[in-house]
Amino acid sequence: RPRVLSGIQPTADSFHLGNYLGALREWVRLQRTHETYYCVVDLHAITVEHDPELLRERTRRSAAQLLALGVDPEHGALFVQSQVPEHAQLSWVLECQTGFGEAGRMTQFKDKAAKQGTERASVGLFTYPVLQAADILLYQADAVPVGEDQRQHLELSRNLAQRFNNRFGRTFTVPEAHIPQDTAKIYDLQEPTAKMSKSASSVNGLIELLDDPKRSAKKIRSAVTDTGREIVYDPEGKPGVANLLTIYSALSGRSVADLEAAYAGKGYGDLKKDLAEVLIEFVTPVRERVRSYLDDVAELDKLLTRGAERAREIATATLATVYERVGFLRRV
Ligand code: TYM
């Protein structure tokens, strides 16, 4: 079976609809055809200022959400990145293969560093994409399910794999980005030309899976649209309506064309009201399952430890080969 790896940061109390439709839905689907390795990337989460207790709590909440959304811990592995030390170890080796200028061209780094001021931004924020490459290459992943915003990081991972293979002999699988066609980028409900993100300017633009469903429904009903009245999929001319149609289609399984036909002659209010209901139906059982996983933290921690053990079986083998190839002395 081809192998998949992906990760998500435990940097918020809840995942949002962009995370789910851009990536996590594919994580679950790929379990049918691939051997899957999924991790909560807590090492990445400390590249910006954080609170230790909150990080621990959010790491558990992230794992609980992945389980609630359908990630199967008996399939491949579900684990926490810091529990597999090989990620940090491989990252160091790859950092030494990465150009300073090359890392400096990563747009997410530039954006985040600009927000914090370059003087205050951590070196970890700079090397973040190399750690991400280590996550992927450690498992010899063939495919990496992510949203559109990770495309450049995936390109770096591919380049590093190829570069290492050329210099030291074939060691890594060169991974492919697996980016969904229709839901690669979910937009902010209040600012439908910006991606939905936890750092959005208005909380009303962001749908969080664990939020009170009534509040989420209200956010859908107050989503920004346009002054027209036709419900057609036109991302250029009607980005707000197009985003709602994308979300509606993904959550309901109905095609956009089908929705356009169904809403011909109806108003934006009808579309929003129905989508709000579809959303409530989706999030309600997810929230309940998350709650039950978090009811037994001891069991959850055990499950994650087992996942890390399984992940390490592969990670240690790859790292041993890498250490050998770069010329480190083997312990005897
Ligand atoms: P993160 O934690 O920011 O986001 C997790 C996933 O959600 C996707 N995503 C979106 N997709 C569509 N529309 C949106 N508005 C939207 N917002 C977020 C992201 O593309 C991502 O797939 N660097 C990664 C975490 C990471 C990783 C990895 C991913 C670390 N190591 C190895 C893959 C493989 C990140 O910050 O994702």
Side-chain angles (χ1 to χ4, degrees), residues 5-11 16-24 27 39 41 44 81 108 112 128 131-133 135-136 144-150 153-154 183-187 195-198:
L5 176 122
S6 199
I8 187 159
Q9 294 199 69
T11 44
H16 60 71
L17 207 51
N19 297 138
Y20 176 64
L21 295 179
L24 304 179
W27 290 26
C39 60
V41 293
H44 280 107
Q81 187 188 31
Q108 288 209 344
K112 287 191 189 173
Y128 176 119
L131 176 60
Q132 180 166 350
D135 299 339
I136 298 165
V144 184
V146 285
E148 178 62 39
D149 62 348
Q150 296 299 313
H153 288 168
L154 260 292
T183 54
K185 190 169 178 184
I186 300 299
Y187 294 88
K195 78 166 177 181
M196 184 178 285
S197 141
K198 58 206 160 220

Side-chain angles (χ1 to χ4, degrees), residues 170-217:
R170 169 111 187 63
T171 308
F172 295 123
T173 302
V174 180
E176 299 274 350
H178 175 96
I179 298 175
Q181 266 199 342
D182 307 325
T183 54
K185 190 169 178 184
I186 300 299
Y187 294 88
D188 186 295
L189 297 182
Q190 288 299 315
E191 209 186 323
T193 49
K195 78 166 177 181
M196 184 178 285
S197 141
K198 58 206 160 220
S199 51
S201 45
S202 150
V203 289
N204 290 329
L206 179 72
I207 300 287
E208 291 180 302
L209 304 184
L210 300 184
D211 199 358
D212 176 359
K214 286 201 211 84
R215 225 164 80 99
S216 296

Side-chain angles (χ1 to χ4, degrees), residues 119-131:
E119 205 48 46
R120 282 192 52 215
S122 71
V123 174
L125 190 65
F126 184 64
T127 57
Y128 176 119
V130 186
L131 176 60

Side-chain angles (χ1 to χ4, degrees), residues 239-308:
V241 172
N243 191 38
L244 293 176
L245 285 170
T246 299
I247 295 170
Y248 197 155
S249 167
L251 289 180
S252 67
R254 294 167 69 181
S255 71
V256 168
D258 182 25
L259 293 172
E260 283 174 333
Y263 285 93
K266 295 192 185 167
Y268 292 166
D270 301 306
L271 175 74
K272 289 173 175 178
K273 193 170 121 296
D274 295 349
L275 172 55
E277 267 167 42
V278 169
L279 180 77
I280 291 178
E281 250 173 70
F282 168 68
V283 294
T284 302
V286 173
R287 291 174 87 224
E288 279 163 21
R289 287 197 292 270
V290 168
R291 222 173 287 140
S292 84
Y293 281 114
L294 290 176
D295 270 349
D296 195 346
V297 167
E299 187 56 38
L300 181 64
D301 287 0
K302 251 193 261 166
L303 181 153
L304 291 170
T305 303
R306 279 200 303 274

